[in-house]
Amino acid sequence: GLINKITNSGHKILNDSDFCEYLLEEGLVAAVPGIAFGLPNFFRISYATSEQKLLAACKRIAEACSKLNNI
């Protein structure tokens, strides 16, 4: 549901790679575009860390997503 949304800087999220780049810049969360695994428009994150860090990352992802605007 985030494809075709617009960032505050005016950039349109066209695909999973754009979203992962946005997520890194806006939410400070590293993710891998799903296209690398044959699943375009999805993304992957590693969860090999503490629950506390995962919860913080999930919060940052949600906050970054809430900043995206519709066309």
Side-chain angles (χ1 to χ4, degrees):
L2 300 171
I3 302 302
N4 294 320
K5 297 247 179 170
I6 307 293
T7 67
N8 286 337
S9 64
H11 182 258
K12 188 174 184 180
I13 305 288
L14 297 175
N15 54 43
D16 51 331
S17 295
D18 288 346
F19 177 70
C20 288
E21 183 177 331
Y22 168 75
L23 196 56
L24 183 59
E25 292 173 1
E26 183 66 36
L28 304 176
V29 176
V32 179
I35 191 72
F37 300 94
L39 294 168
N41 298 330
F42 288 87
F43 69 97
R44 287 189 176 198
I45 57 173
S46 172
Y47 52 89
T49 189
S50 71
E51 185 175 347
Q52 181 181 8
K53 288 182 181 181
L54 287 171
L55 290 172
C58 288
K59 182 178 179 181
R60 290 195 311 269
I61 291 171
E63 287 172 1
C65 290
S66 72
K67 294 179 183 178
L68 291 171
N69 304 304
N70 290 320
I71 299 174

